[in-house]
Amino acid sequence: MDSRGFYNEVLLDHNMNPMHKHELPYATCSLDGVNPSCGDSLTLNLEIDGDTIKSGSFSGVGCAVSQASADIMLELIIGRTITDARRLSDIFLRMIQGDASDEEIDELEEAGALRDISHMPARVKCAVLSWRTLDKMINENDR
């Protein structure tokens, strides 16, 4: 399957059948993220125990790219440490800028399917909304 077909399949699946789009009443931290240029908005919820992301969810409205990217991100980071989540977020953001190696992109698993977003400037902010919200949440909780 070509990369565009894989991208479309992954995006469609996570948009139509998000596993992590729900409330998380036992979240230990939550943060809102907004993309004012298009109106996408989400609330990212994480349950963090020590240095491990035990669970996560998101809620909100937005285009297929922003919603699928949030679901894919949560699938990738749940069960990992904060340090791992920070590193994966860095790789994702560099991938979107065209600065990540193929080996790094492989670490992103399904999130690597969004690599072609870099060729769609109008969608970049949509794809990175949840990842930037994650970074901000992690940085605020480090204080």
Side-chain angles (χ1 to χ4, degrees):
M1 176 183 303
D2 69 24
S3 65
R4 181 141 332 259
F6 182 61
Y7 158 80
N8 289 333
E9 184 179 310
V10 168
L11 188 73
L12 182 63
D13 183 45
H14 281 276
N15 185 53
M16 299 299 290
N17 306 299
M19 294 175 47
H20 302 288
K21 188 172 185 178
H22 54 81
E23 296 300 320
L24 191 66
Y26 45 88
T28 56
C29 51
S30 296
L31 188 65
D32 296 329
V34 177
N35 180 356
S37 64
C38 70
D40 291 346
S41 65
L42 61 79
T43 300
L44 180 62
N45 307 292
L46 296 178
E47 177 193 8
I48 299 173
D49 184 11
D51 190 38
T52 302
I53 300 169
K54 301 288 277 186
S55 189
S57 76
F58 74 101
S59 58
V61 296
C63 68
V65 173
S66 71
Q67 300 293 287
S69 186
D71 198 56
I72 291 167
M73 178 195 72
L74 285 163
E75 186 68 20
L76 184 62
I77 66 168
I78 291 171
R80 296 189 187 241
T81 66
I82 296 295
T83 302
D84 286 343
R86 180 180 279 128
R87 184 178 54 75
L88 291 166
S89 181
D90 175 66
I91 293 170
F92 183 85
L93 295 171
R94 286 189 297 108
M95 175 188 74
I96 296 299
Q97 298 168 349
D99 293 333
S101 71
D102 288 340
E103 293 79 21
E104 289 174 316
I105 293 169
D106 286 346
E107 290 183 61
L108 295 175
E109 300 172 12
E110 280 189 323
L114 298 177
R115 106 190 282 172
D116 287 338
I117 291 286
S118 62
H119 304 296
M120 301 173 229
R123 293 292 180 217
V124 167
K125 287 182 180 178
C126 305
V128 302
L129 175 61
S130 57
W131 298 85
R132 292 201 187 283
T133 305
L134 173 66
D135 283 348
K136 186 174 181 184
M137 180 186 291
I138 289 171
N139 290 335
E140 287 180 0
N141 284 317
D142 269 354
R143 295 177 194 166

